[in-house]
Amino acid sequence: MAQLLIVYHSRTGGSQQMAQAAFEGARNEAGTSLKPADQAGPDDLLAADGYLFCAPENLAALSGIMKDFFDRCYYPVLGRIEGRAYAQMICAGSDGESAARQTARIAQGWRLRAVQEPLILCTHAQTPEAILSPKTIPEQELAQCREIGQALAAGLAMGVF
């Protein structure tokens, strides 16, 4: 059975809600694991056929814990996961493009294959209070996350990716 690994980091809940929604969409299509970035490692990457990376953008970059996941795993799996499919979702306050580019560059180094454009959901949090407050992602946007999870898992299960 095809295996999808969803790795996420979330400080205020937005990315976690996105990753959970993707997991809900994926779990009936393929074997699916949902792991926080601080608990995921090289063995998880090696055991999966495809990946969904979900993180917040902090200060125009990936969150530190998500970057730590990539740092810990990069060399142990280099040359061992080439050609596998991946997608990404970013929870951002205003932009998200820098975090998406950063993830794409890491994936390019692993020679992963992007199977869709990054989904960037914007919370419009612009004040310190809004940035630090717990996030609630609207259902319409969570539906997009479910669709990404379902499509990625189904593509893996059918051998499309």
Side-chain angles (χ1 to χ4, degrees):
M1 175 186 267
Q3 297 293 317
L4 172 63
L5 173 63
I6 301 172
V7 179
Y8 74 94
H9 173 248
S10 189
R11 187 176 307 266
T12 61
S15 296
Q16 183 175 3
Q17 292 167 59
M18 293 167 66
Q20 181 66 41
F23 175 78
E24 291 167 8
R27 66 182 174 196
N28 292 327
E29 302 291 337
T32 306
S33 299
L34 177 66
K35 290 232 171 183
D38 63 348
Q39 295 175 25
D43 289 341
D44 298 303
L45 288 163
L46 292 170
D49 301 298
Y51 315 104
L52 179 56
F53 303 118
C54 181
E57 181 175 65
N58 296 136
L59 303 172
L62 275 174
S63 66
I65 292 174
M66 193 69 175
K67 179 64 168 60
D68 174 71
F69 159 74
F70 287 123
D71 288 344
R72 286 184 292 106
C73 296
Y74 191 83
Y75 292 109
V77 303
L78 187 63
R80 300 171 71 190
I81 60 173
E82 292 177 357
R84 295 183 191 182
Y86 88 97
Q88 63 169 308
M89 301 186 303
I90 303 294
C91 186
S94 60
D95 182 49
E97 294 291 333
S98 290
R101 279 193 305 274
Q102 191 174 13
T103 300
R105 290 185 76 172
I106 292 165
Q108 181 181 19
W110 274 337
R111 308 297 187 264
L112 298 179
R113 188 168 34 115
V115 295
Q116 76 161 61
E117 293 296 316
L119 174 65
I120 299 173
L121 298 184
C122 185
T123 65
H124 304 287
Q126 297 299 302
T127 65
E129 296 79 21
I131 291 166
L132 297 172
S133 71
K135 305 297 181 286
T136 300
I137 304 299
E139 177 53 39
Q140 179 180 352
E141 292 179 341
L142 291 176
Q144 291 178 281
C145 299
R146 276 188 215 91
E147 289 172 9
I148 288 171
Q150 182 179 20
L152 183 53
L156 291 170
M158 292 186 291
V160 174
F161 307 129

